[in-house]
């Protein structure tokens, strides 16, 4: 009954959802493209009984990449389908896998859209990355006896409280999951408390620790440093959101008292913010260069990374990385990438989405917490920018911590094979 009223409300709000896509398309035209897929009409019909992986956006797609590659190495003849929700996620799929996977957008969560979609897709297994649960999707998979695995799953206390408020929807969804592979035991207990049967829980760790740094990335990073000025310090703000870039820009003149030649590298999370970030730099009278129009020089004070798919090589060129989404109440982004690159890593107080990973890296001496208050953050950044040895120790500890926590991808690949009866 709860799902019936959910579907009724969803159908009523569908025009609003479509208008929202169109509105977002003002800044990112990708939201206005391929709309048919949002209604379950596929651009192509993949072979049946494939592995279907859903990754909402860029972060989940990056997390899924090691699993996709591992599965394809073991089972090269099994088709892999990757769905995303956002255009940036779609671009990341194309960049990572090219024609090696089938890709389309995830439909809206209404039964008649799923009927068309699943008739065309005919998957053997659905793997949902992290925690993206849709009542009608899971019900339709159950009706068709399609197993569903939640992989790299995490559930914060705040999210658990939210799901608990809608127990009439949450408990049936959890009952329909075949396996929940969680990042840690604490998250696993929250799933159990919400009604997940204990025999369906597996603690596998985070797939994000299984990331591989391509051999060319450090070389590319070194080449960028030569262009920027190899001796000048570089502070990167990675995956930033509105309010974070501005905070760092306001601190920049005072950071120069410790590092006169400092290059501030801003890497906005969303492409639609590229112009706003550039304008924020110019409004403060700082010398700015956008990556899309050329490389930074020794005269550049702020470099805006307004391209996609270059995060690793940009971070490889930095001395100190501050992880974005953590200086505002967003929940933070993945700190494993800079740690794996051997970079001293900082993160703000709002990192609940990666709390266990942050604790792990912090305990290993690879990461430090910083304040979201300007004066305190200034002192902390000045301290790390002026201490080369400390940054070096943190970087080495980060690489060691990442190596020590690998293994989740291997187990998830085994689980996928078991569910597909391979």
């Amino acid at each position: 009954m709860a799902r019936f009223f959910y579907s009724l409300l969803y159908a009523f709000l569908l025009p609003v959802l479509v208008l929202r896509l169109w509105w977002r398309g003002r800044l990112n035209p990708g939201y206005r493209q391929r709309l048919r897929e949002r209604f379950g009409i596929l651009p192509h019909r993949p072979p049946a009984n494939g592995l279907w992986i859903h990754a909402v956006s860029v972060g989940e797609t990056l997390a899924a990449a090691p699993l996709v590659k591992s599965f394809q190495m073991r089972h090269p003849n099994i088709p892999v389908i990757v769905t995303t929700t956002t255009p940036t996620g779609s671009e990341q799929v194309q960049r990572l896998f090219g024609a090696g996977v089938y890709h389309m957008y995830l439909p809206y969560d209404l039964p008649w859209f799923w009927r068309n979609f699943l008739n065309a897709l005919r998957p053997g297994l659905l793997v949902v990355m992290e925690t993206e649960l849709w009542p009608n999707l899971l019900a339709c998979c159950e009706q068709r006896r399609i197993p569903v695995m939640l992989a790299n799953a995490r559930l914060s206390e705040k999210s658990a409280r939210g799901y608990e408020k809608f127990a009439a929807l949450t408990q049936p969804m959890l009952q329909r999951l075949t396996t929940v592979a969680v990042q840690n035991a604490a998250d696993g207990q929250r799933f159990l408390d919400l009604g997940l049967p204990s025999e369906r829980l597996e603690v596998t760790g985070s797939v994000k620790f299984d990331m591989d740094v391509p051999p060319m990335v450090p070389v590319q990073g070194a080449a960028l440093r030569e262009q920027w000025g190899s001796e000048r310090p570089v502070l990167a703000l990675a995956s930033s959101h509105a309010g974070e870039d501005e905070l760092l820009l306001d601190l920049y003149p005072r950071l120069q008292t410790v590092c006169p030649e400092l290059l501030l590298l801003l890497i906005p999370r969303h492409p639609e913010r590229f112009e706003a970030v550039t304008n924020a730099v110019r409004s403060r009278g700082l010398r700015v260069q956008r990556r899309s129009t050329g490389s930074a020089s020794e005269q550049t004070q702020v470099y805006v990374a307004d391209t996609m798919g270059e995060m690793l090589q940009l971070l490889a060129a930095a001395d100190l990385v501050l992880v974005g989404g953590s200086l505002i109440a967003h929940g933070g982004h993945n700190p494993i990438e800079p740690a794996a690159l051997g970079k001293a890593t900082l993160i703000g107080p709002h990192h609940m989405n990666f709390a266990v990973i942050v604790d792990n890296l912090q305990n290993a001496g690879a990461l430090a917490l910083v304040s979201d208050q300007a004066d305190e953050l200034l002192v902390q950044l000045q301290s790390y920018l002026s201490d080369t040895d400390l940054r070096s120790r943190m970087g080495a500890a980060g690489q060691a911590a990442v190596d020590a926590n690998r293994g989740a991808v291997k187990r998830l690949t085994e689980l996928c094979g078991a569910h597909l009866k391979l």
Side-chain angles (χ1 to χ4, degrees):
M1 184 60 71
R3 187 164 63 87
F4 171 79
F5 286 111
Y6 160 83
S7 300
L8 196 64
L9 178 61
Y10 199 108
F12 179 77
L13 293 174
L14 186 60
V16 178
L17 298 176
V18 176
L19 284 173
R20 182 172 178 266
L21 273 185
W22 196 257
W23 180 258
R24 297 188 73 177
R26 295 174 307 116
L27 298 176
N28 186 341
Y31 281 102
R32 296 181 178 180
Q33 298 167 357
R34 298 161 52 194
L35 289 178
R36 289 162 58 89
E37 296 172 33
R38 310 278 187 177
F39 299 93
I41 303 171
L42 271 63
H44 35 240
R45 190 183 181 100
N49 300 315
L51 170 63
W52 169 23
I53 296 179
H54 177 57
V56 181
S57 192
V58 174
E60 293 82 4
T61 302
L62 290 170
L67 174 58
V68 171
K69 293 173 182 177
S70 174
F71 183 86
Q72 289 179 323
M73 286 184 63
R74 288 200 186 192
H75 309 288
N77 297 321
I78 303 298
V80 176
I81 305 99
V82 180
T83 55
T84 62
T85 302
T86 68
T88 49
S90 176
E91 292 166 9
Q92 192 67 256
V93 170
Q94 179 62 35
R95 191 174 295 114
L96 289 171
F97 311 119
V101 304
Y102 296 89
H103 172 261
M104 60 280 297
Y105 285 126
L106 192 77
Y108 290 117
D109 191 39
L110 287 169
W112 44 93
F113 297 154
W114 288 123
R115 189 178 305 117
N116 292 337
F117 185 84
L118 294 175
N119 283 342
L121 200 65
R122 301 162 297 154
L125 168 67
L126 166 59
V127 175
V128 179
M129 297 304 298
E130 301 190 1
T131 311
E132 176 82 357
L133 300 177
W134 294 103
N136 285 320
L137 166 60
L138 295 180
C140 290
C141 285
E142 182 183 51
Q143 291 166 6
R144 293 169 182 255
R145 298 184 180 180
I146 300 169
V148 180
M149 179 168 69
L150 200 60
N152 204 46
R154 53 188 172 88
L155 189 64
S156 67
E157 291 183 18
K158 181 179 178 181
S159 296
R161 288 194 297 271
Y163 278 115
E164 194 173 18
K165 292 177 183 177
F166 300 96
L169 278 175
T170 299
Q171 289 186 2
M173 285 197 298
L174 294 178
Q175 293 290 331
R176 290 179 174 120
L177 293 171
T178 310
T179 303
V180 176
V182 295
Q183 297 184 23
N184 58 78
D187 286 351
Q189 186 58 52
R190 294 186 191 108
F191 278 103
L192 295 177
D193 292 342
L194 287 173
L196 177 73
S198 59
E199 67 274 12
R200 302 183 192 179
L201 181 70
E202 285 237 7
V203 180
T204 58
S206 174
V207 300
K208 294 184 178 181
F209 281 110
D210 286 279
M211 67 164 292
D212 291 319
V213 177
M216 282 303 296
V217 165
V219 178
Q220 293 167 337
L224 288 175
R225 286 303 292 267
E226 287 296 321
Q227 296 171 10
W228 301 349
S230 57
E231 299 302 318
R232 65 186 310 198
V234 177
L235 167 62
L237 175 59
S239 296
S240 63
H241 291 255
E244 296 183 309
D245 305 279
E246 293 81 358
L247 175 58
L248 267 290
L249 289 170
D250 288 340
L251 293 180
Y252 182 85
R254 288 189 281 172
L255 289 172
Q256 283 188 301
T257 61
V258 172
C259 300
E261 302 300 318
L262 177 66
L263 175 64
L264 178 59
L265 170 61
L266 301 179
I267 312 174
R269 179 72 173 180
H270 299 116
E272 51 264 38
R273 292 193 58 247
F274 292 159
E275 193 67 33
V277 172
T278 304
N279 289 337
V281 182
R282 288 177 177 147
S283 70
R284 289 160 174 80
L286 300 173
R287 295 188 297 275
V288 62
Q289 174 67 50
R290 293 176 66 151
R291 177 146 178 78
S292 61
T293 59
S295 181
S297 68
E298 293 187 7
Q299 286 71 46
T300 304
Q301 293 175 302
V302 183
Y303 196 31
V304 178
D306 60 344
T307 56
M308 299 297 291
E310 296 189 302
M311 178 70 81
L312 286 181
Q313 69 185 74
L314 289 168
L315 295 185
D319 295 297
L320 181 65
V321 177
L322 173 56
V323 179
S326 66
L327 298 176
I328 58 170
H330 182 80
H333 289 296
N334 180 16
I336 294 176
E337 289 180 340
L341 289 164
K343 302 299 174 180
T345 304
L346 308 175
I347 198 165
H350 308 285
H351 56 262
M352 68 176 186
N353 291 342
F354 295 87
V356 174
I357 291 174
V358 167
D359 287 345
N360 186 312
L361 293 176
Q362 186 180 17
N363 292 336
L367 175 146
L369 303 183
V370 294
S371 174
D372 57 356
Q373 301 302 307
D375 290 340
E376 294 178 29
L377 179 60
L378 173 67
V379 173
Q380 292 165 326
L381 291 176
Q382 287 175 331
S383 174
Y384 286 100
L385 286 170
S386 61
D387 195 333
T388 304
D389 290 339
L390 175 58
R391 295 200 307 269
S392 179
R393 291 195 301 272
M394 290 177 69
Q399 289 178 316
V402 171
D403 288 340
N405 283 278
R406 296 182 185 275
V409 168
K410 178 181 178 182
R411 180 55 184 150
L412 289 174
T413 304
E414 293 170 348
L415 288 170
C416 288
H419 287 312
L420 288 166
K421 297 180 171 58
L422 299 175

